[in-house]
Amino acid sequence: MTAEPNLDFALDTYECIVLYPGTAGRALPPETIQRLQAEHAEHMQALQRRGIILVVGAVDGNEAREPDPPLGFGLARTGSVDDVRSVMEADPAVQAGLYRVDVMTFLCPAGSLEFPLVKTES
């Protein structure tokens, strides 16, 4: 989308993160997958503590979306899809090919979302 739609109400803009299975995931040994999943969780928690990621979570019940079901979803609010893509591509599980990530702009009515659990490092 190159421009925001012409609406009679204000919009908030977020970066929408979607996590998918990566190309190497099926070939990795189970112990490597467990390690990468733990490193992924640590990476996401660090991004939340830094205030980059507002909310993240797993997607369940997506088996019908084979062969490439989304595994996770998140929202950030940095003002830059490229910046969020960059920090997500630094995720060890993405770098190893366990996951792949897509980042796009998400628009919603201003003030419609709140993130009460967001904490930032001081």
Side-chain angles (χ1 to χ4, degrees):
M1 180 180 295
T2 58
E4 291 186 5
N6 186 12
L7 303 170
D8 63 351
F9 55 90
L11 292 171
D12 282 338
T13 303
Y14 297 88
E15 294 82 38
C16 175
I17 303 157
V18 184
L19 201 65
Y20 296 95
T23 56
R26 291 179 177 90
L28 295 171
E31 60 275 2
T32 301
I33 292 172
Q34 284 184 321
R35 178 182 53 80
L36 288 170
Q37 287 172 333
E39 291 175 6
H40 165 71
E42 290 171 14
H43 183 75
M44 297 310 293
Q45 290 170 356
L47 292 176
Q48 284 184 294
R49 283 192 304 273
R50 289 173 51 200
I52 295 171
I53 303 293
L54 300 172
V55 63
V56 292
V59 175
D60 193 18
N62 57 6
E63 294 82 17
R65 299 200 188 314
E66 289 292 335
D68 203 15
L71 301 173
F73 170 82
L75 290 175
R77 192 165 195 195
T78 68
S80 171
V81 167
D82 291 335
D83 287 351
V84 173
R85 183 176 293 113
S86 178
V87 296
M88 290 302 302
E89 288 175 349
D91 182 325
V94 172
Q95 290 182 343
L98 179 62
Y99 305 131
R100 71 175 177 83
V101 68
D102 193 9
V103 181
M104 61 206 88
T105 300
F106 174 73
L107 303 169
C108 65
S112 62
L113 296 178
E114 294 182 15
F115 304 95
L117 300 179
V118 171
K119 298 174 186 169
T120 59
E121 293 178 343
S122 22

